[in-house]
Amino acid sequence: MLRRAGPSLRHFLLERKSSAGYSSYSSEATMSRPVQARRLEGIDKNIWVEFVKLAATYSTVNLGQGFPDFPPPDFLKEAFVRALSGENHLTHQYTRAFGHPPLVKILAQFYGKLLGRDLDPMTNVMVTVGAYQALFCCFQAFVDEGDEVIIIEPFFDCYEPMVKMAGGTPVFVPLTPKAPKDGKLMSSADWQLDPAELASKFSERTKAIVLNSPNNPLGKVFSRGELELIADLCVKHDTLCISDEVYEWLVYDGKEHVRIASLQGMWDRTVMIGSAGKTFSATGWKVGWIVGPNRLLQHLRTVHQNSVYHCATAAQEAVAQGFQRELELYGKADSYFVQLPGVLQQKRDWLVQSLDAVGMKPIVPEGTYFLVADISEFKSDIPDVPNSDEPYDSRFAKWMVKNKGLAAIPLSGFYCEAHKNTYSHFVRFCFAKEETTLKAASDILQKWKREKSSP
Ligand code: PMP
């Protein structure tokens, strides 16, 4: 029989609390030993958590976080509905850990066609919880304490903390802008690597380079020549290439997306990462994948089976059907992979014009659904904070969302701490938005411009 704690037990507990400095009541417990693992040191800040919250609190128009505010294509939504309500109730249960068989089969066929090689669905493809988990698996599987990983700045911000969590050291190399000629708008192609500087970052400690083409945030699509430069260095220094290609279909003006895995000597050392979130405008589904040689993927499977183990079956089934359709329509006018970039290119051009008209000089992106704009001319609008360590673009983005209701992301968030002030006069906008959203953003900017020019 349970006895209620009588006065003597309570007295004993209170005594313990006052003498030992802690209470047995868990709500008041404080531990004296450090709870945070050392590998989390310095990586607790996250730009998305901060700016998503600000956008939710103040923004009327959100061009900040990168997701479409339009729906995925009907054929994909219908495939999901069929996966959920069809006769095969096994879509509600676990499927194969490394990828639902219909999805890995069609991905092997699709990427096999793109790369011109036979791919084994069971060993050359793995499905992940979005591209995020694909990246996490790569760093955990390949990076040891003391290994260096080259990251090209500006970069999708999670690369740096993921390398550090794995015990590695990120080594940064910048894309540097060249001023465009004849008063033209700058293009993302004007941001380039210095070949000598890139070569100087490779050493025997270099385990991998992270390549992101098309690049978030600039929208740069690396040319074949630039990729060959990276490939040669990878081969020379026996380095892996973690190739984040989530925006592979979002390429404009007839530019070609070249897969580094297709270059001489690269298949064997490259893992290629994709995302249904970007490919089919369904970021909330969190279906991603990795394609590569079995000698690399076998280690990714080890991380996957000991972490998430499995991704949502119904979403994988729907994405498989989406790829089946796209394989049949490959290169044709009805293909979503042809139509989506066409629609996005118009949205890009519209936002380029709107920003240019108000003096926020846009860098015209060759790919992705992001656009970076120069905000130097708006310095006088933003209250100065003397001796602030916070970059101007971050203060600008916070001020803009609070005072103008327009959300964007500061470019400094895509640089490491030491370099965050290098190009801190830019913000990133996402243009994967309905016409009404883009128009609302343009109205805000024009009103702002009028207020600026009226005495
Ligand atoms: N890589 C890049 C370059 C991205 O921009 C993103 C998403 N913003 C991801 C990976 C993560 O993709 P997912 O949503 O599929 O996890």
Side-chain angles (χ1 to χ4, degrees):
M1 207 175 93
L2 284 170
R3 278 182 51 198
R4 282 184 58 200
S8 56
L9 177 56
R10 268 188 65 201
H11 180 77
F12 169 74
L13 292 172
L14 290 171
E15 281 282 287
R16 270 184 66 176
K17 181 184 175 187
S18 55
S19 59
Y22 67 87
S23 158
S24 307
Y25 298 112
S26 59
S27 63
E28 291 174 34
T30 52
M31 286 173 70
S32 56
R33 69 155 73 201
V35 287
Q36 178 203 293
R38 272 196 306 278
R39 65 180 168 278
L40 300 193
E41 269 165 27
I43 63 166
D44 49 341
K45 279 219 182 98
N46 180 293
I47 188 170
W48 305 113
V49 175
E50 190 181 6
F51 277 89
V52 167
K53 193 169 161 206
L54 277 172
T57 314
Y58 297 103
S59 151
T60 47
V61 181
N62 187 357
L63 302 191
Q65 206 185 1
F67 62 84
D69 69 351
F70 47 81
D74 286 346
F75 67 82
L76 196 78
K77 287 192 292 181
E78 284 157 16
F80 210 156
V81 171
R82 278 198 303 278
L84 289 175
S85 55
E87 297 211 326
N88 180 8
H89 57 84
L90 287 179
T91 50
H92 297 279
Q93 307 305 330
Y94 291 133
T95 181
R96 179 175 166 269
F98 308 120
H100 188 45
L103 181 55
V104 286
K105 280 185 196 150
I106 193 72
L107 287 172
Q109 250 181 296
F110 204 98
Y111 283 94
K113 184 180 165 93
L114 296 174
L115 293 168
R117 66 169 59 237
D118 280 342
L119 298 182
D120 177 348
M122 300 300 150
T123 59
N124 294 136
V125 183
M126 185 175 93
V127 176
T128 54
V129 182
Y132 256 108
Q133 194 228 336
L135 289 161
F136 187 76
C137 285
C138 292
F139 295 121
Q140 289 294 319
F142 302 141
V143 177
D144 260 327
E145 297 278 333
D147 283 344
E148 293 185 354
V149 177
I150 298 175
I151 297 176
I152 300 169
E153 284 184 312
F155 60 90
F156 179 50
D157 65 302
C158 74
Y159 301 156
E160 182 188 6
M162 283 196 190
V163 169
K164 287 183 173 165
M165 260 195 281
T169 307
V171 172
F172 299 99
V173 61
L175 287 165
T176 316
K178 276 191 322 193
K181 287 192 195 110
D182 313 330
K184 271 199 196 152
L185 286 177
M186 190 181 266
S187 152
S188 57
D190 293 322
W191 290 62
Q192 290 177 7
L193 288 166
D194 172 358
E197 191 175 11
L198 177 65
S200 76
K201 303 290 176 179
F202 280 79
S203 73
E204 71 276 7
R205 290 184 302 278
T206 311
K207 186 66 183 283
I209 181 167
V210 187
L211 171 70
N212 174 213
S213 181
N215 161 278
N216 174 11
L218 286 173
K220 177 181 173 65
V221 178
F222 284 68
S223 68
R224 188 175 285 275
E226 289 171 314
L227 295 176
E228 279 168 356
L229 173 76
I230 296 170
D232 288 350
L233 287 164
C234 286
V235 172
K236 182 170 166 203
H237 294 274
D238 197 18
T239 302
L240 297 173
C241 179
I242 299 169
S243 185
D244 180 343
E245 302 183 29
V246 297
Y247 301 103
E248 60 192 322
W249 300 106
L250 309 184
V251 175
Y252 312 122
D253 307 320
K255 264 225 103 115
E256 182 195 16
H257 169 61
V258 178
R259 293 177 171 79
I260 197 164
S262 69
L263 301 186
Q264 182 82 30
M266 288 306 286
W267 165 253
D268 211 33
R269 59 179 70 252
T270 302
V271 284
M272 221 166 77
I273 295 174
S275 164
K278 319 294 171 181
T279 299
F280 289 114
S281 311
T283 56
W285 293 17
K286 291 301 286 185
V287 175
W289 52 86
I290 311 177
V291 175
N294 186 40
R295 84 174 184 106
L296 300 183
L297 262 76
Q298 62 179 321
H299 305 300
L300 302 179
R301 291 197 289 271
T302 307
V303 180
H304 184 80
Q305 78 200 5
N306 293 308
S307 49
V308 304
Y309 184 73
H310 182 276
C311 314
T313 309
Q316 292 192 66
E317 173 66 29
V319 173
Q321 292 187 26
F323 265 102
Q324 187 64 53
R325 174 191 187 273
E326 287 303 303
L327 187 62
E328 283 153 22
L329 293 175
Y330 185 72
K332 302 207 173 112
D334 283 348
S335 157
Y336 190 65
F337 298 170
V338 171
Q339 286 181 347
L340 181 63
V343 171
L344 286 173
Q345 185 171 317
Q346 285 174 10
K347 292 181 187 293
R348 176 200 67 169
D349 293 344
W350 205 83
L351 188 60
V352 162
Q353 273 179 14
S354 308
L355 290 168
D356 194 28
V358 297
M360 269 193 205
K361 284 182 234 87
I363 301 169
V364 183
E366 307 151 274
T368 76
Y369 43 50
F370 301 115
L371 190 164
V372 169
D374 188 327
I375 47 164
S376 304
E377 281 188 21
F378 289 70
K379 258 200 170 127
S380 57
D381 292 28
I382 314 305
D384 197 19
V385 186
N387 305 323
S388 166
D389 183 40
E390 188 174 8
Y392 161 59
D393 59 359
S394 175
R395 286 189 288 113
F396 176 93
K398 286 180 189 168
W399 183 91
M400 185 167 74
V401 72
K402 287 183 192 165
N403 293 278
K404 303 288 173 189
L406 177 61
I409 305 289
L411 188 67
S412 57
F414 299 86
Y415 283 83
C416 70
E417 183 65 20
H419 302 157
K420 69 180 183 188
N421 278 305
T422 322
Y423 296 110
S424 59
H425 53 288
F426 294 99
V427 288
R428 191 201 75 175
F429 294 100
C430 172
F431 54 85
K433 304 292 173 189
E434 299 274 19
E435 240 167 72
T436 45
T437 314
L438 293 174
K439 168 89 173 57
S442 169
D443 290 347
I444 290 175
L445 292 168
Q446 275 171 18
K447 184 161 174 269
W448 188 356
K449 166 93 173 164
R450 282 196 299 276
E451 286 163 2
K452 266 164 82 73
S453 46
S454 60

